[in-house]
Amino acid sequence: MTIDKLDAGARAILTANDRGGYTVPNGQVYPFQWNWDSAFVALGFDTYNRDRAWTEVETLFNAQWDDGFLPHIVFWQDDPGYFPGPSVWATGKTPVTSGITQPPVAATVVRKLWDSAIAASADDAYRLRLESLFDKLIAWHRWFRDYRDPDGRGVVVAMHPWETGRDNSPEWDAPGEPIDISGVGEYTRRDTGHLDAKMRPTKLEYDRYLALVQYGVAQGWDHAKITAGNPFKVADIGMSMILLRANRDLLHLAEYLGRGSEADELRQMIDTAEAGIGWLWDDAKHSWCSRDLLTGRSSGFITSASFLSFYAGLADPAKDAAMLAHLHRIGSKVEYLMPSLDPEDPGFQMIRYWRGPVWAVVNFMIGTGLAEAGFDAEAARVRHDTLALMERNGYYEAYSPVDGSGSGGDDFSWTAAIWLAWSADR
Ligand code: GLC
């Protein structure tokens, strides 16, 4: 297929999934606004419709709670095609939202939108919009500091596997065991009505997801109570790296806008993260790994999120070398980088969601980080593999790293957006 056709196809997906001010990830499987999906989608829009790109992020932040929390789903309108819907979350907010968040990529995206506005001499027209988003972004980042890092370690502690955006990664298996699923009751999943169950999380995983939602409901979605007593607390390597990166980008914007006291606050958050993130290094695995806050145990799993250390700007030569060695080893085992789980792990499954498949948005962050760190060959491989998957198979939710086949839903918004954003500098 020609590049023009690929571009047109990607734009057509964003148009089809546009619900007016926000974009659904996929009309069937995910019919609402998702947090980090929208941020990545904005990067796609920015390649041809700047105003619409900003609107995507602004609409998401219109659902921000007073305490700075930004929900992982906004139910702007109900849809029976998804479970658990608004009545299960029962957060009592308007608009109705879920009660957990998602990886904070938005500040990094807003910085990119802003840089692109400057490059097009459109900054005057967008300055007020930037100022308004800046206030909302920093409120969200403070919320992470106050409610997602109970021990003040400079990491991000997920209170739900869905919060990590990597729903069924094996990193959550052992920490999920103590979750009491006895009161979950009967329910009907919708995801397996749309897609092959082999590509989706298991029943046990879903029971745990729902038990944690019910726990949040029982706490009235009071984030302080959840932070204190949640039965699942995992320092997620992905969100920890993503927030560190996002704080650096927000600091850049604070300096640009002359926001001195906020800049100091952000420097403090960055210092805390840089000082504390070493706790997530697993010496036995020679890798960055998520760690259970409640037991202190490392997951020991090398996942695609482990490779976000470059994106976080950690620049630690010994650890970088170890991660590059993993990248080369994994790259010799699979056709397409970066599988969501190390293919040498016994639990690797090439089409099951976050236990093997390649996700374009994670690759985009990994590739960006590698390029910034000067690892050009590795950056080029990750980018090339990602774009090749889309050229060959279209814009799937994820892909098998072994044979490149599409996994999950097709016509996926954030995959199409990454095509537009990442192939644009060809
Ligand atoms: C799945 C993914 C999550 C994504 C959502 C919508 O739950 O794991 O990362 O945000 O789908 O695409």
Side-chain angles (χ1 to χ4, degrees):
M1 217 190 279
T2 64
I3 298 294
D4 284 351
K5 281 208 175 124
L6 282 154
D7 285 354
R11 290 182 190 193
I13 289 174
L14 296 191
T15 303
N17 290 340
D18 189 345
R19 295 290 178 273
Y22 73 96
T23 309
V24 297
N26 166 295
Q28 269 200 318
V29 195
Y30 302 106
F32 309 110
Q33 183 172 29
W34 259 259
N35 182 322
W36 73 329
D37 293 66
S38 269
F40 287 115
V41 160
L43 293 180
F45 277 129
D46 196 51
T47 62
Y48 63 99
N49 185 343
R50 188 183 318 281
D51 174 65
R52 183 63 187 77
W54 286 71
T55 301
E56 184 78 26
V57 182
E58 288 163 345
T59 304
L60 176 66
F61 275 95
N62 285 343
Q64 186 169 36
W65 293 13
D66 292 343
D67 63 357
F69 165 80
L70 191 67
H72 101 293
I73 305 176
V74 189
F75 302 101
W76 292 110
Q77 50 190 37
D78 205 354
D79 189 305
Y82 180 84
F83 177 86
S87 62
V88 180
W89 287 96
T91 51
K93 299 284 173 184
T94 310
V96 190
T97 74
S98 72
I100 56 168
T101 193
Q102 256 191 337
V105 294
T108 299
V109 165
V110 169
R111 177 182 175 180
K112 266 184 158 292
L113 298 185
W114 179 243
D115 286 348
S116 124
I118 293 177
S121 304
D123 40 324
D124 280 353
Y126 283 85
R127 169 120 189 175
L128 284 177
R129 293 171 82 167
L130 176 69
E131 301 234 13
S132 163
L133 276 175
F134 177 86
D135 291 330
K136 296 174 179 180
L137 285 161
I138 195 165
W140 188 29
H141 289 201
R142 289 182 185 122
W143 179 88
F144 273 101
R145 178 195 62 200
D146 296 343
Y147 297 108
R148 285 300 185 264
D149 187 13
D151 297 352
R153 287 179 171 275
V155 297
V156 177
V157 175
M159 301 288 166
H160 194 297
W162 284 338
E163 205 153 61
T164 69
R166 298 181 299 115
D167 307 12
N168 68 331
S169 172
E171 295 150 280
W172 330 130
D173 291 354
E177 276 166 25
I179 300 170
D180 177 7
I181 54 171
S182 61
V184 165
E186 295 290 311
Y187 58 92
T188 305
R189 284 172 65 168
R190 301 283 177 208
D191 59 322
T192 44
H194 302 299
L195 298 167
D196 184 345
K198 286 195 208 69
M199 296 175 173
R200 300 289 306 175
T202 62
K203 158 104 169 93
L204 173 63
E205 284 158 350
Y206 251 77
D207 283 353
R208 289 179 182 163
Y209 301 154
L210 291 174
L212 290 173
V213 172
Q214 289 169 357
Y215 180 83
V217 172
Q219 311 312 308
W221 293 108
D222 176 325
H223 292 129
K225 285 190 191 161
I226 292 168
T227 308
N230 205 57
F232 176 93
K233 295 185 191 176
V234 182
D236 168 27
I237 192 64
M239 284 210 284
S240 298
M241 295 296 182
I242 287 169
L243 182 62
L244 173 51
R245 168 58 186 258
N247 273 327
R248 295 190 203 281
D249 288 317
L250 203 55
L251 172 59
H252 173 86
L253 294 175
E255 286 167 345
Y256 190 93
L257 294 171
R259 301 290 195 91
S261 70
E262 284 100 331
D264 286 344
E265 216 182 326
L266 287 161
R267 278 187 209 102
Q268 182 63 52
M269 295 193 226
I270 292 166
D271 287 351
T272 310
E274 285 180 335
I277 203 146
W279 188 57
L280 300 185
W281 180 257
D282 184 318
D283 267 328
K285 286 281 174 180
H286 301 288
S287 175
W288 294 105
C289 295
S290 297
R291 193 178 280 275
D292 189 343
L293 193 77
L294 294 173
T295 63
R297 256 183 246 130
S298 171
S299 73
F301 288 109
I302 302 174
T303 68
S304 48
S306 302
F307 295 90
L308 293 175
S309 52
F310 303 98
Y311 177 80
L314 287 181
D316 176 321
K319 294 186 170 75
D320 284 357
M323 294 314 300
L324 290 176
H326 287 304
L327 184 147
H328 293 140
R329 175 179 57 77
I330 293 172
S332 72
K333 302 275 170 211
V334 295
E335 189 72 21
Y336 302 96
L337 286 176
M338 179 54 84
S340 43
L341 177 61
D342 187 335
E344 295 193 301
D345 189 283
F348 172 80
Q349 296 177 62
M350 72 176 194
I351 60 162
R352 200 184 286 277
Y353 220 39
W354 292 96
R355 292 181 188 247
V358 177
W359 292 72
V361 292
V362 179
N363 274 14
F364 179 70
M365 294 186 285
I366 296 173
T368 300
L370 286 166
E372 289 168 350
F375 300 113
D376 295 341
E378 291 81 1
R381 162 100 195 250
V382 173
R383 177 171 177 272
H384 169 270
D385 289 4
T386 315
L387 299 179
L389 285 166
M390 302 181 198
E391 278 174 49
R392 284 170 206 172
N393 295 309
Y395 303 107
Y396 272 87
E397 183 171 17
Y399 304 87
S400 159
V402 177
D403 61 14
S405 57
S407 178
D410 60 1
D411 292 351
F412 236 79
S413 296
W414 67 3
T415 310
I418 293 298
W419 168 268
L420 293 170
W422 220 3
S423 67
D425 45 322
R426 63 190 161 242

